[in-house]
Amino acid sequence: MEFGLSTEQQLIVDTVRSFVENEMYPHEAEIERTGQVPLELGLEIRDKCRDLGFYAANMPEAVGGGGLNHLDFTLLERELGRPSMALSVFFGRPSGILLACEGEQRERYLLPAVRGERFDALAMTEPDAGSDVRGMKCYAKQDGGDWIINGSKHFISHADIADFVIVFVATGEEQTAQGKKKLITCFLVDRDTAGFEIRKGYQSVSHRGYHNCILNFDNCRVPAAQILGEVHQGFDMANKWLYGTRLTVAAFCVGRARRVFELALPYAAERKQFGQAIGRFQGVSFKLADMITEIDAADYLTLAAAWKMDQGLDADREIASAKLYATEMLARVTDQALQIFGGMGLMSDLPLERFWRDARVERIWDGTSEIQRHIISRHLLRPLGC
Amino acid sequence: MKILVAIKRVLDYSVKVRVKTDHSDVDLANAKMSMNPFCEIAVEEAVRLKEAGVASEIIVVSIGSKAVQETIRSAMAMGADRGIWIDSGEAALSPLTIAQLLAKVVQAEQPSVVLLGKQAIDSDDNQTGQMLAALCDYPQATFASKVTIADSKATVVREVDGGLQTLQLALPLVVTTDLRLNEPRYVKLPDIMKAKKKPLDTQTPESLGVSLNNSVKMIKVEPPSERKAGIMVPDVDALINSLKNQAKVL
């Protein structure tokens, strides 16, 4: 068993750290203020990232990606969790599900996404179908060789900058032990398709500048050639390919928690009250002890889940545990860090209040904490017939 | 044309330096270590010279314990072709000993240009490059802020007190790099992966025929005295008064 990083892993971590510190941190305050990343800045980050060969580091070399394994990619994502998400999104990591592209789809969607020429966004959630994915209402009906999509999606992250969306829609229904469930198909839909509209979403408390969008489909006609995978197989496709996004959330939380900790620790050592550093008070020092212990625990859970995936082993339970623990850890760590900074921590002059706000969404998106607990407990109890 | 770059592994510039409780040295336990920033500039300059078609091969050399291999690999990821690790164990080495070891490598490799950082940010000696030039009987240009090599000659702009000095030197030569020579690049992901396949040769002081007679002994390390808190003054007159009578700098 090896807990240290190899020279290559250390170089990846150091390079990405230095990239986010130099190319992203200086823009964060302005993005918080305006809620917007100027597109030219985003594209500049994308171009630099492409030149460095880090763009699409998650994709195999065979399709032009960086070819990192899950563990190395998770180390990279841990660093990308440090800066504003509105900026790190341009450090491109196309959705892994695009590897399911076949034939012409590869030239049209997969390869341009890997080259950084086309951004993708993933659309699943609906106003009435959040965690209950198979309760979705957005549907597609076959019409000759085409499919006609109707309905809407919301909370679609970074669809504002997407050139195409990977959208999951209902194409039928089946009777299951839990009642009627939708059969789902995954479509690739270009931004400028007639009958498809990407609208501005809601103002979110978390991740300013990283926008959620609303997608409207109004008799949107899409040829069958734009179905990703097979008809009615969308839910299985999502389960097969999208587990990785949960590990991304866990890795981002660990990286951000370390950044927060690196602010809180020296502050506790330097800030004086009652004639001594506040770190001398057990009320503060024990907070730091708890914070670092939890950060390390989340870190190891996350890396262990990635390692398991690299071994080709089923890691669903471990990924769910990492996502659950890392997101809840981040909530506690940002809250305690803010407490250490006292009143000043609440002021937007310091980034603490931002980390605290940003932490809130992590327990909700990509599977709520409750869904993760459900996944974990089912893995434990199902084999016992419970 | 061959370029030899000597690099040093030091405490990372961002780490707050702690002194060991017995004052015998700086505490390096669990501290982040990196390539000395001036050495990084030297590697970058070598890579630029290679990219410009001036140099054909870049060799990096570093002296120390096994951990310096990691630093050599990061220079390889930046673009160096091969490395030499001089395994000196944990021994503390003086600039003269280091220059003697490097001189043996110069003798064996016969590079046209030897690039070094002007100083390492740990001991701040600023001696190795100069001593190496003397031992090899090479011309030297220290504190370089611009290096041009053409027609078997080097033109080096040096940062000196009061301005810039331009020197023309014959090859082979020793150049030590200053901060403004260049801005080191981020390493590329494919180059990180290639670095581990590049050849890394191991030498020892014995194999190079250098005895580690350390002429310098470190007696004691003290942290700098803590700066006293400043005072607020109500106006310019009070400021001038304080500078004159309290700080006594006017």
Side-chain angles (χ1 to χ4, degrees):
Chain A
M1 208 170 212
E2 176 63 66
F3 283 97
L5 297 187
S6 70
T7 304
E8 290 75 32
Q9 289 169 331
Q10 190 64 55
L11 275 169
I12 291 171
V13 168
D14 289 349
T15 304
V16 181
R17 172 81 58 88
S18 144
F19 189 91
V20 301
E21 286 180 354
N22 294 312
E23 310 293 332
M24 298 187 191
Y25 285 9
H27 304 291
E28 287 181 332
E30 184 65 4
I31 289 159
E32 281 304 303
R33 197 180 64 78
T34 61
Q36 185 74 39
V37 178
L39 191 60
E40 56 276 22
L41 170 63
L43 296 181
E44 188 188 316
I45 291 172
R46 178 200 65 182
D47 291 346
K48 284 182 181 168
C49 177
R50 270 202 309 210
D51 289 345
L52 293 174
F54 275 99
Y55 201 91
N58 56 322
M59 294 302 228
E61 282 176 356
V63 297
L68 293 187
N69 62 21
H70 288 108
L71 181 58
D72 293 357
F73 184 62
T74 301
L75 293 171
L76 179 154
E77 294 217 289
R78 212 171 57 176
E79 298 309 314
L80 286 184
R82 290 175 166 256
S84 157
M85 267 205 77
L87 292 165
S88 61
V89 67
F90 289 97
F91 199 103
R93 293 147 298 130
S95 179
I97 199 169
L98 290 172
L99 289 170
C101 282
E102 282 185 4
E104 270 186 20
Q105 291 175 346
R106 288 170 61 89
E107 299 296 330
R108 203 164 148 193
Y109 299 103
L110 169 65
L111 301 178
V114 172
R115 290 195 294 263
E117 292 160 8
R118 300 191 83 192
F119 278 117
D120 62 287
L122 198 88
M124 187 103 70
T125 306
E126 296 178 8
D128 291 324
S131 298
D132 181 15
V133 173
R134 295 190 70 186
M136 66 171 56
K137 291 188 175 137
C138 187
Y139 69 95
K141 274 193 177 146
Q142 197 163 11
D143 181 40
D146 296 339
W147 289 75
I148 295 168
I149 308 174
N150 277 290
S152 68
K153 298 276 171 189
H154 78 168
F155 297 162
I156 308 310
S157 297
H158 66 257
D160 52 332
I161 57 166
D163 296 291
F164 68 94
V165 294
I166 304 157
V167 60
F168 292 83
V169 296
T171 43
E173 218 170 41
E174 68 177 347
Q175 195 62 47
T176 70
Q178 288 85 35
K180 276 189 180 170
K181 295 276 181 193
K182 296 284 167 51
L183 290 163
I184 292 164
T185 302
C186 180
F187 289 87
L188 299 159
V189 182
D190 294 299
R191 183 182 193 93
D192 54 6
T193 308
F196 173 43
E197 184 196 14
I198 301 174
R199 285 202 293 126
K200 202 166 173 276
Y202 317 91
Q203 287 279 23
S204 169
V205 72
S206 300
H207 299 307
R208 279 185 196 156
Y210 183 68
H211 299 146
N212 67 82
C213 298
I214 296 169
L215 311 185
N216 278 331
F217 295 91
D218 181 11
N219 286 321
C220 175
R221 183 176 284 273
V222 176
Q226 279 166 241
I227 291 176
L228 186 62
E230 304 291 327
V231 175
H232 298 336
Q233 299 303 311
F235 190 66
D236 293 338
M237 295 253 305
N239 285 334
K240 181 178 170 199
W241 293 102
L242 301 183
Y243 53 82
T245 64
R246 292 179 175 161
L247 205 57
T248 291
V249 176
F252 268 53
C253 288
V254 171
R256 203 171 313 129
R258 292 230 186 259
R259 184 174 174 195
V260 171
F261 186 78
E262 285 158 16
L263 293 170
L265 179 65
Y267 187 77
E270 281 154 26
R271 162 86 170 165
K272 288 194 171 67
Q273 288 289 276
F274 305 102
Q276 60 179 352
I278 57 171
R280 294 248 176 220
F281 296 107
Q282 210 172 66
V284 171
S285 65
F286 277 22
K287 280 191 196 356
L288 292 164
D290 289 341
M291 287 158 78
I292 197 68
T293 304
E294 288 203 45
I295 294 170
D296 281 352
D299 204 353
Y300 288 129
L301 267 179
T302 305
L303 296 179
W307 176 87
K308 213 171 167 199
M309 282 157 77
D310 284 331
Q311 310 310 308
L313 301 169
D314 173 26
D316 284 356
R317 203 281 290 163
E318 285 80 358
I319 293 170
S321 290
K323 201 270 177 188
L324 169 66
Y325 189 77
T327 57
E328 303 210 333
M329 171 280 289
L330 183 65
R332 290 188 290 267
V333 164
T334 51
D335 193 71
Q336 294 291 44
L338 205 145
Q339 193 70 17
I340 290 171
F341 274 84
M344 206 55 218
L346 286 168
M347 305 301 139
S348 53
D349 300 72
L350 295 179
L352 275 301
E353 59 89 25
R354 162 159 71 94
F355 296 130
W356 181 64
R357 277 188 288 109
D358 287 350
R360 192 60 189 90
V361 74
E362 312 294 348
R363 284 182 280 160
I364 296 173
W365 67 9
D366 285 284
T368 59
S369 285
E370 292 69 27
I371 288 291
Q372 306 308 325
R373 287 189 171 91
H374 170 76
I375 294 170
I376 297 164
S377 57
R378 292 312 298 146
H379 265 262
L380 297 173
L381 292 164
R382 195 180 293 122
L384 304 180
C386 172
Chain B
M1 193 187 93
K2 246 192 228 182
I3 300 182
L4 179 73
V5 189
I7 59 173
K8 186 177 184 186
R9 181 180 173 86
V10 297
L11 193 62
D12 189 84
Y13 75 93
S14 64
V15 174
K16 204 173 168 193
V17 177
R18 292 184 314 258
V19 172
K20 282 185 178 172
T21 45
D22 65 357
H23 294 271
S24 60
D25 205 343
V26 166
D27 191 357
L28 299 180
N30 293 320
K32 181 171 164 39
M33 305 291 282
S34 300
M35 195 190 305
N36 174 43
F38 292 109
C39 299
E40 221 177 337
I41 292 169
V43 176
E44 175 67 31
E45 193 63 18
V47 176
R48 289 184 188 194
L49 286 168
K50 191 178 169 189
E51 284 170 347
V54 176
S56 53
E57 191 186 24
I58 302 165
I59 307 148
V60 282
V61 55
S62 191
I63 307 168
S65 65
K66 196 171 179 207
V68 304
Q69 286 190 32
E70 200 178 292
T71 315
I72 295 174
R73 291 286 175 204
S74 65
M76 287 172 169
M78 286 176 74
D81 298 294
R82 62 186 169 94
I84 301 168
W85 166 42
I86 303 174
D87 180 2
S88 62
E90 302 295 334
L93 305 176
S94 67
L96 181 59
T97 312
I98 292 164
Q100 285 167 339
L101 289 164
L102 294 177
K104 293 289 182 184
V105 177
V106 170
Q107 209 173 40
E109 296 287 348
Q110 296 289 315
S112 303
V113 179
V114 185
L115 280 166
L116 302 93
K118 69 168 181 179
Q119 67 198 65
I121 60 166
D122 50 3
S123 53
D124 274 338
D125 287 319
N126 180 11
Q127 294 175 5
T128 305
Q130 293 88 331
M131 288 176 171
L132 176 64
L135 290 173
C136 298
D137 200 19
Y138 282 6
Q140 60 175 296
T142 51
F143 315 136
S145 67
K146 188 165 189 242
V147 177
T148 317
I149 294 173
D151 307 325
S152 306
K153 275 192 216 102
T155 309
V156 180
V157 179
R158 302 181 61 225
E159 297 197 0
V160 293
D161 288 347
L164 298 172
Q165 181 190 49
T166 306
L167 297 180
Q168 198 172 75
L169 308 98
L171 304 184
L173 85 163
V174 172
V175 176
T176 74
T177 60
D178 214 323
L179 193 65
R180 279 157 289 272
L181 178 58
N182 61 47
E183 229 177 276
R185 67 194 59 200
Y186 298 112
V187 294
K188 295 183 177 182
L189 181 58
D191 293 340
I192 291 176
M193 297 309 176
K194 276 182 220 152
K196 67 176 158 192
K197 296 187 190 101
K198 291 183 176 176
L200 175 55
D201 183 27
T202 306
Q203 298 276 358
T204 60
E206 297 76 53
S207 71
L208 293 169
V210 176
S211 63
L212 303 182
N213 290 329
N214 218 344
S215 50
V216 179
K217 194 177 165 199
M218 183 140 66
I219 316 257
K220 196 176 179 191
V221 177
E222 288 278 1
S225 54
E226 262 189 55
R227 210 170 133 240
K228 286 195 188 113
I231 53 161
M232 294 293 283
V233 289
D235 52 35
V236 175
D237 286 345
L239 174 67
I240 291 172
N241 185 37
S242 297
L243 290 171
K244 263 188 189 159
N245 300 318
Q246 281 174 269
K248 296 188 194 302
V249 290
L250 286 184

